[in-house]
């Protein structure tokens, strides 16, 4: 990852951290002044975003480091670990909001915070949604999965402020409909847990060496078909490390071709793929001789065996 991308990650995260501190202070202060427990809890949630911001600031120093003797494939898995941490924190936040909502439903006392609490909630929703969209755009521009995960944490904070706003309006117009706050919070819980799963699951697959992207094989085959010197490509394997992908496959060429010529074809094809496939950062290619007659015989034998079965 370039130095410019690293600086962008740091900049975006610091902006988010400052916003989180300001919003947390505002929500907790107004929550105490108006007696809104929901707004106070929402302010504490804003402080939880600082945990993931810190994870990004620290983790980015490691996953952006170049490959070295101890990490010949680079340090991308540090980004994977950061994603798991963010997803885990996001899941805890979602479960916490859901638990508080269920607990509040059984409570006999219900506060009426007033329009000041509503204003604080609306400001939080707007600011955090803007932060989500801006962070998501920056994450996409540099292909940072961890930064995108943190963007979703911003949105979870915006969503958690939504029940507070709904509760204030509901209490103002319909004092008897105090359960709308809890119902809205449970819906928000489902949305946050869904986001946590979408962050955690790809990271877990990555740690278990799952295939990076099913479309990559089709793309490689399509590019290989455009090169008349390449007879066939097979045994394609891919794995993800952070926001990047590593590839290896077998490339078949004319057996009468010189080693130098085959090597040049391979290097040109590798360069072409690296230019076309944005996430791919390294490719290992094994050269094989292409024997058309032998492959036809083998294919026929396979077909015969299949018919016997």
């Amino acid at each position: 990852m370039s130095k410019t991308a690293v600086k962008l990650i740091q900049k975006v995260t610091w902006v988010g951290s400052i916003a989180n501190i300001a919003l947390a202070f505002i929500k907790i202060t107004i929550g105490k002044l108006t007696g809104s427990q929901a707004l106070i809890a929402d302010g504490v949630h804003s402080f939880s975003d600082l945990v993931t911001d810190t994870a990004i600031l620290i983790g980015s120093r490691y996953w952006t480091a170049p490959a070295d003797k101890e990490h010949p494939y680079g340090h991308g898995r540090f980004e994977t670990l950061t994603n798991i941490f963010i997803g885990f924190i996001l899941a805890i936040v979602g479960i916490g909001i859901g638990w508080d909502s269920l607990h509040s439903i059984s409570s006999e006392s219900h506060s009426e915070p007033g329009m000041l609490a509503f204003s604080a909630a609306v400001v939080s929703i707007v600011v955090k949604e803007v932060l989500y969209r801006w962070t998501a755009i920056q994450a996409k521009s540099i292909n940072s999965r961890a930064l995108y995960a943190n963007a979703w944490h911003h949105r979870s904070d915006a969503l958690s402020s939504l029940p507070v706003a709904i509760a204030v309006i509901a209490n103002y117009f319909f004092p008897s409909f105090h359960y709308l706050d809890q119902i809205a919070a449970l819906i928000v819980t489902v949305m946050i847990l869904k986001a946590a799963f979408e962050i955690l699951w790809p990271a877990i697959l990555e740690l278990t060496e799952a295939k990076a992207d099913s479309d990559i094989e089709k793309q490689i085959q399509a590019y290989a078909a455009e090169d008349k010197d390449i007879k066939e490509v097979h045994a394609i394997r891919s794995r993800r490390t952070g926001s990047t992908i590593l590839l290896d496959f077998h490339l078949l060429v004319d057996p009468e071709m010189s080693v130098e010529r085959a090597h040049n074809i391979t290097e040109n094809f590798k360069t072409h793929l690296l230019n076309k496939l944005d996430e791919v950062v390294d490719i290992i290619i094994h050269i094989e001789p292409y024997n058309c007659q032998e492959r036809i015989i083998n294919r026929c034998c396979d077909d015969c065996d299949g018919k016997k079965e």
Side-chain angles (χ1 to χ4, degrees):
M1 185 175 287
S2 67
K3 291 183 178 180
T4 303
V6 176
K7 289 181 179 179
L8 181 61
I9 291 174
Q10 300 283 328
K11 174 186 174 182
V12 171
T13 306
W14 274 114
V15 170
S17 297
I18 294 170
N20 286 329
I21 293 172
L23 286 174
F25 178 78
I26 291 171
K27 286 189 281 190
I28 291 175
T29 301
I30 294 178
K32 288 185 176 182
L33 290 175
T34 60
S36 172
Q37 293 299 319
L39 195 59
I40 293 173
D42 196 28
V44 174
H45 177 206
S46 293
F47 270 126
S48 77
D49 283 4
L50 293 174
V51 177
T52 59
D53 289 338
T54 302
I56 293 287
L57 290 171
I58 295 175
S60 62
R61 296 179 181 275
Y62 290 94
W63 83 63
T64 58
D68 54 32
K69 185 178 180 180
E70 299 298 325
H71 302 85
Y73 290 101
H75 299 75
R77 290 292 167 85
F78 282 100
E79 184 173 9
T80 308
L81 294 175
T82 303
N83 287 339
I84 290 176
F85 178 76
I86 293 174
F88 183 68
I89 294 295
L90 200 57
I92 291 176
V93 168
I95 293 172
I97 292 173
W99 178 263
D100 288 342
S101 300
L102 292 173
H103 179 72
S104 297
I105 289 176
S106 61
S107 175
E108 295 181 358
S109 61
H110 301 280
S111 61
E112 298 181 7
M115 297 308 292
L116 184 59
F118 173 75
S119 300
V122 170
V123 169
S124 176
I125 292 170
V126 172
V127 172
K128 296 299 283 188
E129 181 65 18
V130 170
L131 272 176
Y132 161 75
R133 293 177 181 275
W134 179 60
T135 304
I137 291 172
Q138 303 307 317
K140 186 177 181 180
S141 69
I142 59 175
N143 190 34
S144 174
R145 290 153 67 93
L147 195 60
Y148 185 75
N150 204 32
W152 250 105
H153 207 163
H154 286 313
R155 172 160 278 185
S156 78
D157 202 7
L159 291 174
S160 70
S161 298
L162 189 61
V164 180
I166 292 174
V168 174
I169 292 297
N171 284 330
Y172 185 80
F173 290 103
F174 310 102
S176 60
F177 290 176
H178 50 75
Y179 293 119
L180 286 177
D181 180 21
Q182 288 74 32
I183 293 173
L186 289 174
I187 294 173
V188 169
T189 296
V190 174
M191 297 174 68
I192 293 176
L193 290 178
K194 178 177 180 293
F197 176 79
E198 291 175 349
I199 292 169
L200 280 170
W201 185 242
I204 292 172
L205 289 178
E206 183 181 328
L207 289 181
T208 57
E209 298 288 357
K211 183 167 61 175
D213 189 340
S214 57
D215 290 333
I216 281 187
E217 291 187 21
K218 296 178 182 178
Q219 290 177 290
I220 293 174
Q221 294 288 4
Y223 289 132
E226 297 173 358
D227 193 327
K228 60 182 179 59
D229 292 318
I230 298 175
K231 300 299 183 182
E232 185 180 320
V233 169
H234 65 207
I236 301 172
R237 298 189 301 176
S238 62
R239 60 191 178 103
R240 183 175 288 280
T241 171
S243 297
T244 61
I245 294 175
L246 305 176
L247 286 175
D248 65 82
F249 56 83
H250 294 194
L251 187 147
L252 282 64
V253 296
D254 188 337
E256 302 298 324
M257 186 178 293
S258 68
V259 174
E260 182 179 4
R261 173 65 176 153
H263 174 73
N264 290 336
I265 291 171
T266 301
E267 287 299 305
N268 289 337
F269 188 57
K270 177 179 179 179
T271 301
H272 181 68
L273 291 179
L274 290 173
N275 289 333
K276 291 292 185 179
L277 306 175
D278 295 333
E279 294 182 294
V280 177
V281 295
D282 194 19
I283 306 172
I284 298 176
I285 303 177
H286 175 72
I287 304 174
E288 287 184 9
Y290 179 81
N291 191 318
C292 183
Q293 189 65 28
E294 180 181 343
R295 298 182 73 78
I296 292 175
I297 293 173
N298 290 336
R299 190 177 297 114
C300 290
C301 291
D302 291 340
D303 292 341
C304 290
D305 291 339
K307 290 178 181 178
K308 289 179 182 179
E309 293 176 0

